[in-house]
Amino acid sequence: MRFFPLGFWLLCVASAPARGDSGSKARSCAEVRQLYGAKGFSLSGVPQAEISGEHLRICPQGYTCCTSEMEENFANKSRSEFEAMMKEAGRSVQTTLTAQHRSFDSYFQDLLNKSEKALYDAFPTMYGELYTQNMKVFKDLYSELRRYYRGSNINLEEALNEFWTRLLERLFKLLNPQYHITDEYLDCMVKHAEQHRPFGEVPRDLKVKATRAFIAARSYAQGFLVGSDVVKKVSQVSLSHECTRAIMKLMYCPHCRGMSSVKPCNNYCLNVVKGCLANQADLNTEWKYLMDSLAVVADRIDGPYNVDTVIGTIHMRIAEAISNLQENKDSLTAKVFQGCGNPKISTKGSSSEEKKRRGKVTLEAKSSAQALEMLVLDAKGNLTALKTYWITLPSSLCSKKVMASSAADDKCWNGMTKGSYLPEVMGDGLANQINNPEVEVDITKPDMTIRQQIMQLKIMTNRLGNANIGNDVDFQDASDDMSGSGSGDNCPDDVCGKRLSKSPSTRQPETHAIPKQSGHGISGASSRSLPSAFLLLLSVAFIAAQHWCR
């Protein structure tokens, strides 16, 4: 008989906490209702107090303030908000890069415009008909230089050679008006005259210096635009389904669990964002190369290639070349006549040398070297700051946008409840997400859009490398160089040779600390543990009763 009271007492003890929990008051959903309404959703059907969460597909299935519809709406909202965060961060980088391009482009164009204007202002007085009858030759030169700088597929050396040839033909006729010079004679004249350097060393010297300066300037300006375009396109890449679930769990599941004031754990946030931005982080290597290459070319522009002096004095070098031709006119003419024969005497009257050369004007070039130096210093500072953009983006988003807790916080949202977050933080890039506990990432399938942008960075860096040593580069469409990009060739065979599924049978278990119960409300963990305890005690009572019946 002594066993019956004991079994009955055990049943009473087991049933007591169950009755106590079922009778306790569920927490209010006022905070979630307020948040849900603020996000633009209807409050119709939103619980006033917590309900059972077996219907949830993303958030933990304890007691909750979210219905299935609310969970879906929050998931879509978290997706759009995170994508907006990405675009906002990208716009900041784009703004910096486009501002650098605009500053340099304005400086360079202004330099070229001032040189052209100085030529137009001074040459009529200096050369009279030598200039006025050949204005188109000079205009065409500056037009070609601008087209080259803006990216047209022009051979700059050939454009400069063409200018000197056309100028020589025009000036030779004007300097020898007493002769009837045909086009055929001009062809012969050019062949013979070029051997004797009619313009002195100016064409050769200007070709070397101007080519290097223009190549560097064009590649430098183009580099900023390519960088900005890469950021824009990468920022528009949509989130995967797995990432959307992880972002929802990070940002809105604590609200559903009635923990609106609990911030996400910092390391938990980092794992989620690193998993979502795994492909973006793979831009890091080529991005750093581009930033470094731009900085190196910037030094060239302000240093050995001396863009300010070379571009700003083009008109002065042309004037020097024309003066050389005038001074060597008689010697040149004699050598041409010797090689090509004497042309026929023209029936038209000849104008005097005085008419062609009306006077002397001193050409000056105002230096803007200090302005260029400041541009380069500012650019290099910004390039240094942007070098680590892609790998610091997760921590930046977590601290500034998601508003994660500090790393030492052990009372933060860890994806399941309020507590500490135990899993280690993953590395950067796609291959390092193989064991990401928060986001299912298929490391064998890199994002093709991002792989294409990695290739664009490589191509632009190569152009800058060529510009750094003075080599001309062809700004052709890079699509032909895209073959094979993004195919996963850089992924190790032992990693990419298999699809690493994180189904319940293979995924490593998530490890979270179990927090102490605060005493208010009902947590999902405690509600699930009570039936187990009840059954255990009931079994003990049943065994005791069997023993008593014997």
Side-chain angles (χ1 to χ4, degrees):
M1 293 295 293
R2 66 182 179 275
F3 293 105
F4 177 76
L6 177 60
F8 181 76
W9 179 80
L10 288 171
L11 288 172
C12 292
V13 171
S15 62
R19 287 198 304 269
D21 277 3
S22 62
S24 64
K25 187 177 180 181
R27 284 182 292 189
S28 169
C29 292
E31 289 185 347
V32 180
R33 287 173 61 85
Q34 183 179 2
L35 174 68
Y36 195 66
K39 296 295 179 181
F41 300 114
S42 170
L43 294 179
S44 176
V46 178
Q48 297 284 350
E50 287 181 326
I51 59 175
S52 179
E54 287 83 1
H55 57 278
L56 297 177
R57 294 293 177 265
I58 301 176
C59 296
Q61 293 183 331
Y63 282 159
T64 182
C65 285
C66 291
T67 63
S68 295
E69 182 183 359
M70 292 174 66
E71 187 182 44
E72 182 179 354
N73 288 338
F74 272 142
N76 292 332
K77 194 69 176 177
S78 64
R79 177 190 185 118
S80 62
E81 288 179 345
F82 188 78
E83 289 178 344
M85 292 178 196
M86 276 289 296
K87 290 178 181 177
E88 183 182 348
R91 276 194 296 270
S92 176
V93 178
Q94 286 177 256
T95 299
T96 299
L97 293 174
T98 53
Q100 290 300 322
H101 171 267
R102 193 182 302 114
S103 296
F104 178 76
D105 181 67
S106 176
Y107 161 81
F108 190 84
Q109 299 265 24
D110 186 58
L111 204 60
L112 202 54
N113 290 341
K114 286 180 178 177
S115 172
E116 185 176 23
K117 185 178 184 301
L119 185 148
Y120 294 160
D121 290 343
F123 275 33
T125 303
M126 291 178 68
Y127 301 115
E129 290 180 1
L130 289 181
Y131 170 72
T132 56
Q133 294 187 23
N134 295 286
M135 286 179 61
K136 190 175 185 306
V137 177
F138 300 104
K139 286 185 177 180
D140 287 348
L141 170 65
Y142 280 95
S143 176
E144 288 291 276
L145 293 177
R146 286 193 183 87
R147 288 182 61 216
Y148 177 86
Y149 169 70
R150 291 168 182 164
S152 294
N153 190 14
I154 296 172
N155 187 310
L156 188 56
E157 289 190 7
E158 289 183 1
L160 289 170
N161 288 338
E162 176 68 16
F163 164 73
W164 293 116
T165 298
R166 289 178 63 196
L167 186 62
L168 177 59
E169 292 174 347
R170 300 293 186 89
L171 296 186
F172 186 82
K173 290 180 72 173
L174 284 171
L175 291 172
N176 296 280
Q178 67 274 31
Y179 297 104
H180 176 67
I181 300 175
T182 64
D183 291 341
E184 291 77 10
Y185 192 90
L186 285 177
D187 290 338
C188 179
M189 180 273 296
V190 169
K191 292 177 183 178
H192 282 80
E194 286 181 347
Q195 301 174 12
H196 305 293
R197 299 181 185 175
F199 294 114
E201 294 296 328
V202 173
R204 182 177 299 182
D205 184 58
L206 183 61
K207 181 167 67 174
V208 171
K209 293 180 179 178
T211 298
R212 291 191 309 186
F214 270 93
I215 290 172
R218 179 169 84 159
S219 300
Y220 184 68
Q222 187 75 6
F224 287 113
L225 293 180
V226 168
S228 177
D229 189 58
V230 166
V231 174
K232 179 182 178 181
K233 289 178 178 176
V234 171
S235 298
Q236 293 172 345
V237 173
S238 299
L239 299 181
S240 66
H241 174 70
E242 292 79 8
C243 177
T244 299
R245 292 174 61 88
I247 292 294
M248 159 65 187
K249 194 174 179 182
L250 171 74
M251 297 175 64
Y252 284 106
C253 284
H255 296 282
C256 290
R257 290 297 304 272
M259 302 179 185
S260 298
S261 61
V262 180
K263 295 180 178 180
C265 299
N266 186 66
N267 288 355
Y268 169 46
C269 180
L270 288 175
N271 274 343
V272 170
V273 180
K274 285 192 175 193
C276 287
L277 304 184
N279 282 281
Q280 286 84 338
D282 282 345
L283 288 156
N284 177 60
T285 299
E286 295 303 328
W287 179 261
K288 287 200 300 184
Y289 287 156
L290 178 65
M291 299 297 107
D292 287 338
S293 298
L294 281 168
V296 169
V297 174
D299 282 333
R300 289 284 185 182
I301 287 172
D302 189 34
Y305 294 170
N306 208 355
V307 167
D308 179 74
T309 300
V310 173
I311 308 303
T313 60
I314 290 176
H315 61 291
M316 297 176 67
R317 302 310 307 278
I318 294 173
E320 180 185 346
I322 294 174
S323 296
N324 289 338
L325 178 64
Q326 289 177 321
E327 291 172 6
N328 300 318
K329 172 202 164 187
D330 294 337
S331 172
L332 175 65
T333 300
K335 291 174 181 176
V336 169
F337 285 1
Q338 183 180 357
C340 300
N342 293 333
K344 295 179 180 180
I345 301 295
S346 175
T347 57
K348 296 180 180 180
S350 60
S351 57
S352 66
E353 182 73 14
E354 305 304 320
K355 199 173 180 181
K356 296 169 198 163
R357 187 168 182 174
R358 300 179 182 177
K360 292 185 177 181
V361 176
T362 303
L363 286 173
E364 294 181 355
K366 294 182 179 179
S367 175
S368 54
Q370 188 174 2
L372 178 60
E373 183 181 354
M374 294 303 295
L375 281 176
V376 168
L377 284 174
D378 184 53
K380 289 172 70 175
N382 282 304
L383 291 169
T384 300
L386 292 177
K387 277 176 64 172
T388 58
Y389 170 70
W390 295 108
I391 57 171
T392 58
L393 185 58
S395 59
S396 177
L397 290 176
C398 284
S399 62
K400 298 177 182 178
K401 301 299 180 181
V402 181
M403 303 300 291
S405 66
S406 64
D409 191 359
D410 61 353
K411 293 181 180 179
C412 49
W413 173 251
N414 60 23
M416 296 297 292
T417 187
K418 181 170 72 172
S420 58
Y421 183 76
L422 299 182
E424 64 177 348
V425 177
M426 297 294 101
D428 300 304
L430 188 62
N432 284 319
Q433 306 312 309
I434 186 170
N435 292 317
N436 192 311
E438 308 305 335
V439 188
E440 182 179 333
V441 181
D442 185 352
I443 65 171
T444 68
K445 295 181 179 179
D447 184 273
M448 291 306 296
T449 298
I450 292 177
R451 296 296 136 173
Q452 289 171 356
Q453 297 312 305
I454 290 175
M455 184 58 67
Q456 292 298 321
L457 292 174
K458 288 182 178 180
I459 292 170
M460 189 64 242
T461 299
N462 182 59
R463 290 171 181 165
L464 288 163
N466 277 291
N468 184 45
I469 56 176
N471 287 344
D472 203 353
V473 285
D474 183 14
F475 276 67
Q476 63 183 5
D477 182 35
S479 58
D480 293 339
D481 298 317
M482 296 300 298
S483 58
S485 65
S487 61
D489 294 340
N490 295 326
C491 191
D493 291 337
D494 60 335
V495 173
C496 294
K498 56 188 177 181
R499 169 70 168 94
L500 293 162
S501 172
K502 292 188 179 178
S503 60
S505 61
T506 60
R507 185 173 179 178
Q508 293 187 355
E510 297 180 8
T511 306
H512 301 285
I514 300 176
K516 296 179 181 179
Q517 298 299 318
S518 60
H520 73 284
I522 306 171
S523 71
S526 63
S527 66
R528 285 195 296 270
S529 65
L530 286 177
S532 300
F534 178 80
L535 289 174
L536 177 63
L537 293 174
L538 184 61
S539 298
V540 173
F542 181 73
I543 293 171
Q546 278 187 323
H547 183 73
W548 176 76
C549 289
R550 291 175 186 172

